[in-house]
Structures are given as structure tokens and as C-alpha cells.
Coordinates of all heavy atoms in Angstrom, one line a residue:
M29 N 33.7 -48.8 -64.1 CA 32.4 -48.9 -64.8 C 32.7 -48.9 -66.3 O 33.6 -48.3 -66.8 CB 31.6 -47.6 -64.4 CG 30.2 -47.8 -64.5 SD 29.3 -46.4 -63.8 CE 27.7 -46.8 -64.4
K30 N 31.9 -49.7 -67.0 CA 32.1 -49.9 -68.4 C 31.6 -48.6 -69.2 O 30.5 -48.1 -68.9 CB 31.3 -51.1 -68.9 CG 31.7 -51.6 -70.3 CD 31.0 -52.9 -70.6 CE 31.4 -53.3 -72.0 NZ 30.8 -54.5 -72.4
Q31 N 32.4 -48.2 -70.1 CA 32.1 -47.0 -71.0 C 31.0 -47.4 -72.0 O 31.1 -48.5 -72.7 CB 33.3 -46.5 -71.7 CG 33.2 -45.3 -72.4 CD 33.1 -44.0 -71.5 OE1 33.2 -44.2 -70.3 NE2 32.9 -42.9 -72.1
R32 N 30.0 -46.6 -72.1 CA 28.9 -46.9 -73.1 C 29.4 -46.6 -74.5 O 30.0 -45.6 -74.7 CB 27.7 -46.0 -72.8 CG 26.6 -46.8 -72.2 CD 25.4 -45.9 -72.0 NE 24.5 -46.1 -73.2 CZ 23.2 -46.2 -73.1 NH1 22.6 -46.1 -71.9 NH2 22.5 -46.4 -74.2
K33 N 29.0 -47.4 -75.5 CA 29.3 -47.1 -76.9 C 28.4 -46.1 -77.4 O 27.2 -46.1 -77.3 CB 29.1 -48.4 -77.6 CG 29.5 -48.4 -79.1 CD 29.3 -49.7 -79.7 CE 28.9 -49.5 -81.1 NZ 28.5 -50.7 -81.8
V34 N 29.0 -45.1 -78.1 CA 28.2 -44.0 -78.7 C 27.8 -44.4 -80.2 O 28.7 -44.7 -80.9 CB 29.0 -42.7 -78.7 CG1 28.3 -41.6 -79.4 CG2 29.4 -42.3 -77.3
P35 N 26.5 -44.4 -80.5 CA 26.2 -44.8 -81.9 C 26.6 -43.7 -82.9 O 26.3 -42.6 -82.7 CB 24.6 -44.9 -81.8 CG 24.2 -44.1 -80.6 CD 25.4 -44.1 -79.7
L36 N 27.3 -44.2 -83.9 CA 27.8 -43.3 -85.0 C 27.0 -43.5 -86.2 O 26.6 -44.7 -86.5 CB 29.3 -43.6 -85.2 CG 30.2 -43.3 -84.1 CD1 31.6 -43.7 -84.5 CD2 30.2 -41.8 -83.7
R37 N 26.8 -42.5 -87.0 CA 26.1 -42.5 -88.3 C 26.9 -41.7 -89.3 O 27.6 -40.7 -88.9 CB 24.7 -42.0 -88.2 CG 23.8 -42.8 -87.2 CD 23.5 -44.2 -87.7 NE 22.6 -44.9 -86.9 CZ 22.9 -45.7 -85.9 NH1 24.2 -45.9 -85.6 NH2 22.1 -46.4 -85.2
K38 N 26.7 -42.0 -90.6 CA 27.5 -41.3 -91.6 C 26.6 -40.2 -92.2 O 25.4 -40.5 -92.6 CB 27.9 -42.2 -92.7 CG 28.8 -41.5 -93.8 CD 29.2 -42.5 -94.9 CE 30.5 -43.1 -94.6 NZ 31.1 -43.8 -95.7
C39 N 27.1 -39.0 -92.3 CA 26.4 -37.9 -93.0 C 26.4 -38.2 -94.5 O 27.5 -38.5 -95.1 CB 27.0 -36.6 -92.7 SG 26.4 -35.2 -93.6
I40 N 25.3 -38.1 -95.2 CA 25.2 -38.4 -96.6 C 25.8 -37.3 -97.5 O 26.1 -37.5 -98.6 CB 23.8 -38.7 -97.1 CG1 22.9 -37.5 -96.9 CG2 23.3 -40.0 -96.4 CD1 21.5 -37.7 -97.5
V41 N 26.0 -36.1 -96.9 CA 26.6 -35.0 -97.6 C 28.1 -34.9 -97.5 O 28.8 -34.9 -98.5 CB 26.0 -33.7 -97.2 CG1 26.6 -32.5 -97.9 CG2 24.5 -33.7 -97.4
T42 N 28.6 -35.0 -96.3 CA 30.0 -34.9 -96.0 C 30.8 -36.2 -95.9 O 32.0 -36.2 -95.8 CB 30.3 -34.0 -94.7 OG1 29.7 -34.8 -93.6 CG2 29.7 -32.7 -94.8
N43 N 30.0 -37.3 -95.8 CA 30.6 -38.6 -95.5 C 31.4 -38.7 -94.3 O 32.4 -39.5 -94.2 CB 31.4 -39.1 -96.7 CG 30.6 -39.4 -97.9 OD1 29.5 -39.9 -97.8 ND2 31.1 -39.1 -99.1
E44 N 31.1 -37.9 -93.3 CA 31.8 -38.0 -92.0 C 31.0 -38.9 -91.0 O 29.7 -38.8 -91.0 CB 31.9 -36.6 -91.4 CG 32.8 -35.7 -92.1 CD 32.8 -34.3 -91.5 OE1 31.8 -33.8 -91.1 OE2 33.9 -33.8 -91.3
M45 N 31.7 -39.6 -90.2 CA 31.0 -40.4 -89.1 C 30.9 -39.5 -87.9 O 31.9 -39.0 -87.5 CB 31.8 -41.7 -88.8 CG 31.9 -42.7 -89.9 SD 30.3 -43.4 -90.3 CE 30.1 -44.5 -89.0
K46 N 29.7 -39.3 -87.4 CA 29.4 -38.5 -86.3 C 28.5 -39.2 -85.3 O 27.8 -40.1 -85.7 CB 28.8 -37.1 -86.7 CG 29.7 -36.3 -87.5 CD 29.0 -34.9 -87.8 CE 30.0 -34.0 -88.5 NZ 29.4 -32.7 -88.7
P47 N 28.5 -38.7 -84.0 CA 27.5 -39.3 -83.1 C 26.1 -39.0 -83.6 O 25.8 -37.9 -84.2 CB 27.8 -38.5 -81.8 CG 29.2 -38.1 -81.9 CD 29.4 -37.8 -83.4
K48 N 25.2 -39.9 -83.4 CA 23.8 -39.8 -83.9 C 23.1 -38.5 -83.4 O 22.3 -38.0 -84.1 CB 23.0 -41.0 -83.3 CG 21.7 -41.3 -84.0 CD 21.2 -42.6 -83.5 CE 19.8 -42.8 -84.0 NZ 19.2 -44.0 -83.5
Q49 N 23.4 -38.0 -82.2 CA 22.8 -36.8 -81.7 C 23.2 -35.5 -82.5 O 22.5 -34.5 -82.4 CB 23.1 -36.6 -80.2 CG 22.4 -37.5 -79.3 CD 23.0 -38.9 -79.3 OE1 24.2 -39.0 -79.6 NE2 22.2 -39.9 -79.0
E50 N 24.3 -35.5 -83.2 CA 24.7 -34.4 -84.0 C 24.2 -34.3 -85.4 O 24.5 -33.4 -86.1 CB 26.3 -34.4 -84.1 CG 26.9 -34.2 -82.7 CD 28.4 -34.2 -82.9 OE1 29.0 -34.0 -84.0 OE2 29.1 -34.4 -81.8
L51 N 23.3 -35.3 -85.7 CA 22.8 -35.4 -87.1 C 21.3 -35.3 -87.1 O 20.7 -35.5 -86.0 CB 23.2 -36.7 -87.7 CG 24.7 -37.0 -87.8 CD1 24.9 -38.4 -88.2 CD2 25.3 -36.1 -88.8
I52 N 20.7 -35.0 -88.2 CA 19.2 -34.9 -88.4 C 18.9 -36.1 -89.3 O 19.5 -36.2 -90.4 CB 18.8 -33.6 -88.9 CG1 19.0 -32.5 -87.9 CG2 17.3 -33.7 -89.3 CD1 18.5 -31.1 -88.3
R53 N 17.8 -36.8 -89.0 CA 17.4 -38.0 -89.8 C 16.2 -37.6 -90.6 O 15.3 -37.0 -90.2 CB 17.0 -39.1 -88.9 CG 16.6 -40.4 -89.6 CD 16.4 -41.5 -88.7 NE 16.3 -42.8 -89.4 CZ 15.1 -43.5 -89.4 NH1 14.1 -43.1 -88.7 NH2 15.1 -44.6 -90.1
I54 N 16.3 -37.9 -91.9 CA 15.2 -37.8 -92.9 C 14.8 -39.2 -93.2 O 15.6 -40.0 -93.5 CB 15.7 -37.0 -94.1 CG1 16.1 -35.6 -93.7 CG2 14.5 -36.9 -95.1 CD1 17.5 -35.4 -93.4
V55 N 13.5 -39.4 -93.3 CA 13.0 -40.8 -93.5 C 12.0 -40.8 -94.6 O 11.2 -39.9 -94.8 CB 12.4 -41.4 -92.1 CG1 11.2 -40.6 -91.7 CG2 12.2 -42.8 -92.2
R56 N 12.1 -41.9 -95.4 CA 11.1 -42.2 -96.4 C 10.2 -43.4 -95.9 O 10.7 -44.5 -95.6 CB 11.7 -42.7 -97.7 CG 10.7 -42.9 -98.8 CD 11.2 -43.7 -100.0 NE 11.4 -45.1 -99.6 CZ 12.3 -45.9 -100.1 NH1 13.2 -45.4 -100.9 NH2 12.4 -47.1 -99.7
S57 N 8.9 -43.1 -95.7 CA 8.0 -44.1 -95.2 C 7.7 -45.2 -96.2 O 8.0 -45.0 -97.4 CB 6.7 -43.4 -94.7 OG 6.0 -43.0 -95.9
P58 N 7.2 -46.3 -95.8 CA 6.9 -47.4 -96.8 C 5.9 -46.9 -97.9 O 5.9 -47.4 -99.0 CB 6.2 -48.5 -95.9 CG 6.8 -48.3 -94.6 CD 7.0 -46.8 -94.4
E59 N 5.1 -45.8 -97.6 CA 4.2 -45.3 -98.6 C 4.9 -44.3 -99.5 O 4.3 -43.9 -100.5 CB 3.0 -44.5 -97.9 CG 2.1 -45.4 -97.1 CD 2.7 -45.7 -95.7 OE1 3.4 -44.9 -95.1 OE2 2.4 -46.9 -95.2
G60 N 6.1 -44.0 -99.3 CA 6.9 -43.1 -100.2 C 6.9 -41.6 -99.7 O 7.4 -40.8 -100.4
E61 N 6.4 -41.3 -98.5 CA 6.3 -40.0 -98.0 C 7.6 -39.7 -97.3 O 8.1 -40.4 -96.5 CB 5.2 -39.9 -97.0 CG 5.0 -38.5 -96.4 CD 3.9 -38.5 -95.4 OE1 2.9 -39.1 -95.6 OE2 4.1 -37.8 -94.3
V62 N 8.2 -38.5 -97.6 CA 9.5 -38.1 -97.0 C 9.2 -37.1 -95.9 O 8.4 -36.1 -96.1 CB 10.4 -37.4 -98.1 CG1 11.7 -36.9 -97.5 CG2 10.7 -38.4 -99.2
S63 N 9.8 -37.3 -94.7 CA 9.6 -36.4 -93.6 C 10.9 -36.3 -92.8 O 11.8 -37.2 -92.9 CB 8.4 -36.8 -92.8 OG 8.6 -38.1 -92.2
I64 N 10.9 -35.3 -91.9 CA 12.1 -35.2 -91.0 C 11.7 -35.9 -89.7 O 10.6 -35.8 -89.1 CB 12.3 -33.7 -90.7 CG1 12.7 -33.0 -92.0 CG2 13.4 -33.5 -89.6 CD1 12.8 -31.5 -91.9
D65 N 12.6 -36.7 -89.2 CA 12.4 -37.6 -88.0 C 13.3 -37.1 -86.9 O 14.5 -37.4 -86.8 CB 12.8 -39.0 -88.4 CG 12.5 -40.0 -87.2 OD1 11.9 -39.6 -86.2 OD2 13.0 -41.1 -87.3
L66 N 12.8 -36.2 -86.0 CA 13.6 -35.7 -84.9 C 13.7 -36.7 -83.8 O 14.7 -36.6 -83.0 CB 12.9 -34.4 -84.4 CG 12.9 -33.2 -85.4 CD1 12.1 -32.1 -84.8 CD2 14.3 -32.8 -85.8
T67 N 12.8 -37.7 -83.7 CA 13.0 -38.7 -82.7 C 13.9 -39.8 -83.0 O 14.5 -40.4 -82.2 CB 11.6 -39.3 -82.4 OG1 11.1 -40.0 -83.6 CG2 10.6 -38.3 -82.0
G68 N 14.1 -40.1 -84.3 CA 15.0 -41.1 -84.8 C 14.4 -42.5 -84.7 O 15.1 -43.5 -84.8
K69 N 13.1 -42.6 -84.6 CA 12.4 -43.9 -84.4 C 11.3 -44.2 -85.4 O 10.7 -45.2 -85.3 CB 11.8 -43.9 -83.0 CG 12.8 -43.8 -81.9 CD 12.2 -43.9 -80.5 CE 13.2 -43.6 -79.5 NZ 14.1 -44.7 -79.1
K70 N 11.1 -43.3 -86.4 CA 10.1 -43.6 -87.4 C 10.5 -44.8 -88.3 O 11.6 -45.0 -88.5 CB 9.9 -42.3 -88.3 CG 9.1 -41.2 -87.6 CD 8.8 -40.1 -88.7 CE 8.1 -39.0 -88.0 NZ 7.8 -37.9 -89.0
N71 N 9.4 -45.4 -88.8 CA 9.7 -46.6 -89.7 C 10.0 -46.1 -91.1 O 9.5 -45.0 -91.5 CB 8.4 -47.4 -89.8 CG 8.2 -48.3 -88.6 OD1 9.1 -48.5 -87.8 ND2 7.0 -48.7 -88.4
G72 N 10.9 -46.8 -91.8 CA 11.2 -46.4 -93.1 C 12.7 -46.3 -93.4 O 13.5 -46.5 -92.5
R73 N 13.0 -46.0 -94.6 CA 14.4 -45.8 -95.0 C 14.9 -44.5 -94.5 O 14.3 -43.4 -94.8 CB 14.5 -45.8 -96.5 CG 15.8 -45.5 -97.1 CD 16.6 -46.7 -97.4 NE 17.8 -46.3 -98.0 CZ 18.9 -46.9 -97.8 NH1 19.0 -47.9 -97.0 NH2 20.0 -46.6 -98.5
G74 N 16.0 -44.4 -93.8 CA 16.5 -43.2 -93.2 C 17.8 -42.8 -93.8 O 18.6 -43.6 -94.3
A75 N 18.1 -41.5 -93.7 CA 19.3 -40.9 -94.2 C 19.7 -39.8 -93.1 O 18.8 -39.1 -92.6 CB 19.2 -40.3 -95.6
Y76 N 21.0 -39.6 -92.9 CA 21.4 -38.6 -91.9 C 22.2 -37.5 -92.5 O 23.0 -37.7 -93.4 CB 22.3 -39.3 -90.8 CG 21.5 -40.2 -90.0 CD1 21.4 -41.6 -90.4 CD2 21.0 -39.8 -88.8 CE1 20.7 -42.5 -89.6 CE2 20.3 -40.7 -87.9 CZ 20.2 -42.0 -88.4 OH 19.5 -42.9 -87.6
I77 N 21.9 -36.2 -92.1 CA 22.6 -35.0 -92.5 C 23.1 -34.3 -91.3 O 22.4 -34.2 -90.3 CB 21.7 -34.1 -93.4 CG1 21.3 -34.8 -94.6 CG2 22.4 -32.8 -93.7 CD1 20.4 -34.0 -95.5
S78 N 24.4 -33.8 -91.4 CA 25.0 -33.0 -90.4 C 24.1 -31.8 -90.1 O 23.5 -31.2 -91.0 CB 26.3 -32.5 -90.7 OG 27.2 -33.6 -90.9
N79 N 24.0 -31.4 -88.8 CA 23.1 -30.3 -88.4 C 23.8 -29.0 -88.5 O 24.1 -28.3 -87.5 CB 22.7 -30.6 -86.9 CG 21.6 -29.7 -86.5 OD1 21.1 -28.9 -87.2 ND2 21.2 -29.8 -85.2
N80 N 24.1 -28.6 -89.8 CA 24.6 -27.2 -90.0 C 24.1 -26.7 -91.4 O 23.8 -27.5 -92.3 CB 26.2 -27.2 -90.0 CG 26.8 -28.2 -90.9 OD1 26.4 -28.3 -92.1 ND2 27.9 -28.9 -90.5
D81 N 24.1 -25.4 -91.6 CA 23.6 -24.8 -92.8 C 24.3 -25.2 -94.0 O 23.7 -25.3 -95.1 CB 23.5 -23.3 -92.6 CG 22.5 -22.9 -91.5 OD1 21.5 -23.6 -91.3 OD2 22.8 -21.8 -90.9
E82 N 25.6 -25.3 -93.9 CA 26.5 -25.7 -95.1 C 26.0 -27.0 -95.7 O 25.9 -27.2 -96.9 CB 28.0 -25.7 -94.8 CG 28.5 -24.3 -94.3 CD 28.3 -24.1 -92.9 OE1 28.2 -25.0 -92.1 OE2 28.2 -22.9 -92.5
S83 N 25.8 -28.0 -94.8 CA 25.4 -29.3 -95.3 C 24.0 -29.3 -96.0 O 23.8 -29.9 -97.0 CB 25.4 -30.3 -94.1 OG 26.6 -30.5 -93.6
F84 N 23.1 -28.5 -95.4 CA 21.8 -28.4 -96.0 C 21.8 -27.7 -97.4 O 21.2 -28.2 -98.3 CB 20.8 -27.5 -95.1 CG 20.7 -28.1 -93.7 CD1 20.5 -27.3 -92.6 CD2 20.6 -29.5 -93.5 CE1 20.3 -27.8 -91.4 CE2 20.5 -30.1 -92.3 CZ 20.3 -29.2 -91.2
E85 N 22.6 -26.7 -97.5 CA 22.8 -26.0 -98.8 C 23.4 -26.9 -99.9 O 22.9 -27.0 -101.0 CB 23.6 -24.7 -98.7 CG 23.0 -23.6 -97.9 CD 21.7 -23.1 -98.5 OE1 21.6 -23.1 -99.8 OE2 20.7 -22.9 -97.7
L86 N 24.4 -27.7 -99.5 CA 25.0 -28.6 -100.4 C 24.1 -29.7 -100.8 O 24.1 -30.1 -101.9 CB 26.3 -29.1 -99.8 CG 27.3 -29.8 -100.7 CD1 27.7 -28.9 -101.8 CD2 28.5 -30.3 -99.9
A87 N 23.3 -30.2 -99.8 CA 22.4 -31.3 -100.1 C 21.3 -30.8 -101.1 O 20.9 -31.5 -102.0 CB 21.7 -31.8 -98.8
K88 N 20.8 -29.6 -100.9 CA 19.8 -29.0 -101.8 C 20.4 -28.8 -103.2 O 19.7 -29.1 -104.2 CB 19.3 -27.7 -101.2 CG 18.2 -27.1 -102.0 CD 17.7 -25.8 -101.3 CE 16.4 -25.3 -102.0 NZ 15.9 -24.1 -101.2
K89 N 21.6 -28.3 -103.2 CA 22.2 -28.0 -104.5 C 22.4 -29.3 -105.3 O 22.1 -29.4 -106.5 CB 23.6 -27.3 -104.3 CG 24.3 -27.0 -105.5 CD 25.6 -26.3 -105.2 CE 26.6 -26.3 -106.3 NZ 27.9 -25.9 -105.9
K90 N 22.9 -30.4 -104.7 CA 23.2 -31.6 -105.4 C 22.0 -32.6 -105.3 O 22.1 -33.7 -106.0 CB 24.4 -32.3 -104.7 CG 25.7 -31.6 -104.9 CD 26.8 -32.4 -104.3 CE 28.1 -31.7 -104.6 NZ 29.2 -32.5 -104.0
D91 N 20.9 -32.3 -104.6 CA 19.7 -33.1 -104.5 C 20.1 -34.5 -104.0 O 19.7 -35.5 -104.6 CB 18.9 -33.2 -105.8 CG 17.5 -33.6 -105.6 OD1 17.0 -33.5 -104.5 OD2 16.9 -34.1 -106.6
V92 N 20.9 -34.5 -102.9 CA 21.4 -35.8 -102.4 C 20.3 -36.6 -101.8 O 20.3 -37.9 -101.9 CB 22.5 -35.4 -101.3 CG1 22.9 -36.7 -100.6 CG2 23.6 -34.7 -101.9
L93 N 19.3 -36.0 -101.2 CA 18.2 -36.8 -100.6 C 17.4 -37.6 -101.6 O 17.1 -38.8 -101.3 CB 17.3 -35.9 -99.8 CG 17.8 -35.3 -98.5 CD1 16.8 -34.4 -97.9 CD2 18.1 -36.5 -97.5
S94 N 17.2 -37.1 -102.7 CA 16.5 -37.9 -103.8 C 17.2 -39.1 -104.2 O 16.7 -40.2 -104.4 CB 16.3 -37.0 -105.0 OG 15.4 -36.0 -104.7
R95 N 18.5 -39.0 -104.2 CA 19.4 -40.2 -104.6 C 19.4 -41.2 -103.5 O 19.3 -42.4 -103.7 CB 20.8 -39.7 -104.9 CG 21.4 -40.4 -106.0 CD 22.7 -39.8 -106.5 NE 22.9 -38.4 -106.1 CZ 23.9 -37.8 -105.6 NH1 25.0 -38.6 -105.3 NH2 24.0 -36.5 -105.3
Q96 N 19.6 -40.7 -102.2 CA 19.7 -41.7 -101.1 C 18.4 -42.4 -100.8 O 18.4 -43.5 -100.4 CB 20.2 -40.9 -99.9 CG 21.7 -40.5 -100.0 CD 22.6 -41.7 -100.0 OE1 22.4 -42.6 -99.3 NE2 23.7 -41.6 -100.8
L97 N 17.3 -41.6 -100.8 CA 16.0 -42.2 -100.4 C 15.3 -42.8 -101.6 O 14.2 -43.4 -101.4 CB 15.1 -41.1 -99.8 CG 15.7 -40.5 -98.5 CD1 14.8 -39.4 -98.0 CD2 15.9 -41.5 -97.4
Q98 N 15.8 -42.7 -102.8 CA 15.3 -43.3 -104.0 C 13.9 -42.9 -104.3 O 13.0 -43.7 -104.7 CB 15.4 -44.8 -104.0 CG 16.8 -45.3 -103.8 CD 16.9 -46.7 -103.4 OE1 16.0 -47.3 -103.0 NE2 18.2 -47.2 -103.4
V99 N 13.6 -41.6 -104.1 CA 12.3 -41.0 -104.4 C 12.5 -39.5 -104.6 O 13.4 -38.9 -104.1 CB 11.3 -41.3 -103.2 CG1 11.6 -40.5 -102.0 CG2 9.8 -41.0 -103.6
K100 N 11.6 -38.9 -105.4 CA 11.8 -37.4 -105.6 C 11.4 -36.6 -104.4 O 10.3 -36.8 -103.8 CB 10.8 -37.0 -106.8 CG 10.9 -35.6 -107.1 CD 12.2 -35.2 -107.7 CE 12.2 -33.7 -108.1 NZ 13.4 -33.1 -107.9
V101 N 12.3 -35.8 -103.9 CA 12.1 -35.0 -102.7 C 11.8 -33.6 -103.1 O 12.5 -33.0 -103.9 CB 13.4 -35.1 -101.8 CG1 13.3 -34.2 -100.6 CG2 13.8 -36.5 -101.4
D102 N 10.7 -33.1 -102.5 CA 10.3 -31.7 -102.7 C 11.3 -30.7 -102.1 O 11.8 -31.0 -101.1 CB 8.9 -31.4 -102.1 CG 7.8 -32.2 -102.8 OD1 8.0 -32.4 -104.1 OD2 6.8 -32.5 -102.2
P103 N 11.5 -29.6 -102.8 CA 12.4 -28.6 -102.2 C 12.0 -28.0 -100.9 O 12.8 -27.6 -100.1 CB 12.4 -27.5 -103.3 CG 11.9 -28.1 -104.5 CD 11.0 -29.2 -104.1
H104 N 10.7 -28.1 -100.5 CA 10.3 -27.6 -99.2 C 10.8 -28.4 -98.1 O 10.9 -27.9 -96.9 CB 8.7 -27.4 -99.1 CG 8.0 -28.7 -98.9 ND1 7.7 -29.6 -99.9 CD2 7.6 -29.3 -97.7 CE1 7.1 -30.7 -99.4 NE2 7.0 -30.5 -98.1
I105 N 11.2 -29.7 -98.3 CA 11.8 -30.5 -97.3 C 13.1 -29.9 -96.8 O 13.5 -29.9 -95.6 CB 12.1 -31.9 -97.8 CG1 10.7 -32.6 -98.1 CG2 12.9 -32.7 -96.8 CD1 9.9 -33.0 -96.8
Y106 N 13.9 -29.3 -97.8 CA 15.1 -28.7 -97.4 C 14.9 -27.4 -96.5 O 15.7 -27.1 -95.6 CB 15.9 -28.3 -98.7 CG 16.4 -29.5 -99.4 CD1 15.8 -29.9 -100.6 CD2 17.5 -30.3 -99.0 CE1 16.2 -31.0 -101.3 CE2 17.9 -31.4 -99.7 CZ 17.3 -31.7 -100.8 OH 17.7 -32.9 -101.5
D107 N 13.8 -26.7 -96.8 CA 13.5 -25.5 -96.0 C 13.0 -26.0 -94.6 O 13.4 -25.3 -93.6 CB 12.3 -24.7 -96.7 CG 12.7 -24.2 -98.0 OD1 13.9 -23.9 -98.2 OD2 11.8 -24.0 -98.9
E108 N 12.3 -27.1 -94.5 CA 12.0 -27.6 -93.2 C 13.2 -28.1 -92.4 O 13.2 -28.0 -91.2 CB 11.0 -28.8 -93.4 CG 9.6 -28.5 -93.8 CD 8.7 -29.7 -94.0 OE1 9.0 -30.7 -93.3 OE2 7.8 -29.6 -94.8
L109 N 14.2 -28.5 -93.1 CA 15.5 -28.9 -92.4 C 16.1 -27.7 -91.7 O 16.6 -27.8 -90.6 CB 16.5 -29.5 -93.4 CG 16.4 -30.9 -93.7 CD1 17.3 -31.3 -94.9 CD2 16.7 -31.7 -92.5
H110 N 16.1 -26.5 -92.4 CA 16.6 -25.3 -91.8 C 15.9 -25.0 -90.5 O 16.5 -24.7 -89.5 CB 16.6 -24.1 -92.8 CG 17.7 -24.1 -93.8 ND1 19.0 -23.9 -93.5 CD2 17.6 -24.4 -95.1 CE1 19.7 -23.9 -94.6 NE2 18.9 -24.2 -95.6
A111 N 14.6 -25.0 -90.6 CA 13.7 -24.7 -89.4 C 14.0 -25.7 -88.3 O 14.1 -25.3 -87.1 CB 12.3 -24.7 -89.8
A112 N 14.0 -27.0 -88.6 CA 14.2 -28.0 -87.6 C 15.6 -27.9 -87.0 O 15.8 -28.1 -85.8 CB 14.0 -29.4 -88.2
S113 N 16.6 -27.5 -87.8 CA 17.9 -27.4 -87.2 C 18.0 -26.3 -86.2 O 18.7 -26.4 -85.2 CB 19.0 -27.3 -88.3 OG 18.9 -26.0 -88.9
K114 N 17.4 -25.2 -86.5 CA 17.4 -24.0 -85.6 C 16.7 -24.4 -84.3 O 17.1 -24.0 -83.3 CB 16.7 -22.8 -86.3 CG 17.6 -22.3 -87.4 CD 17.0 -21.0 -88.0 CE 17.9 -20.5 -89.0 NZ 17.5 -20.5 -90.4
R115 N 15.6 -25.2 -84.4 CA 14.9 -25.6 -83.2 C 15.8 -26.5 -82.3 O 15.8 -26.4 -81.1 CB 13.6 -26.3 -83.5 CG 12.5 -25.3 -83.8 CD 11.2 -26.0 -84.0 NE 11.0 -26.2 -85.4 CZ 10.6 -27.3 -86.0 NH1 10.3 -28.3 -85.4 NH2 10.5 -27.3 -87.3
S116 N 16.5 -27.4 -83.0 CA 17.2 -28.4 -82.3 C 18.5 -27.9 -81.7 O 19.1 -28.4 -80.7 CB 17.5 -29.7 -83.1 OG 18.4 -29.3 -84.2
R117 N 19.0 -26.8 -82.2 CA 20.3 -26.2 -81.7 C 20.1 -25.4 -80.5 O 21.0 -25.1 -79.7 CB 20.9 -25.3 -82.8 CG 21.5 -26.0 -83.9 CD 22.3 -25.0 -84.8 NE 22.2 -25.5 -86.2 CZ 22.4 -24.8 -87.2 NH1 22.7 -23.5 -87.1 NH2 22.4 -25.3 -88.4
K118 N 18.8 -24.9 -80.2 CA 18.6 -24.1 -79.0 C 18.7 -24.8 -77.8 O 18.6 -26.0 -77.6 CB 17.2 -23.5 -79.2 CG 17.1 -22.4 -80.2 CD 15.8 -21.8 -80.3 CE 15.7 -20.7 -81.4 NZ 14.5 -20.1 -81.5

């Protein structure tokens, strides 16, 4: 039987290539709204972050999402990331 290819994505904080299921996607919609995409299917510009607290803290400190998504990201998005990561880890 043929082995299935695992989709890999790059974390914008650590620059590591990881399987898509191990990352959380943040998306900027065409209207400029930034949200967390747990399904991975929302329309818009996406960026991936590793699903761990260290990556979230580093992203918040360096404001990496604003640079990658080319729009000002509110600090509450980083807090939502913490909550979403705890839900997805269970």
C-alpha cells in the first residue's frame, strides 16, 4: 500500500517544518479581520504557529503575526491562542 504524504507547514516563530496537525493557523480575512482558524479551511492569508506556550510568548513579544499577516494584530489574539491551544491539546 502506498504511504500517504503528510502535509508540512513552517512555524513563523521557530521556522521549523512540522505536520499541519501540530500547528495552529491564524488567518487574515480579505476584509482585514484576524482570527484563529482551528479547521484550517478559512479564506484568507494564513500563518502557522507551533502549538506550545513558548512559541506564543515569543510571537507576542516580537509581534510576529503583525509582520506576517501585514496588518496590526490586537494583543487579545495572543490570549485567544493560549485558550485555543489548551482546548486542542485535550
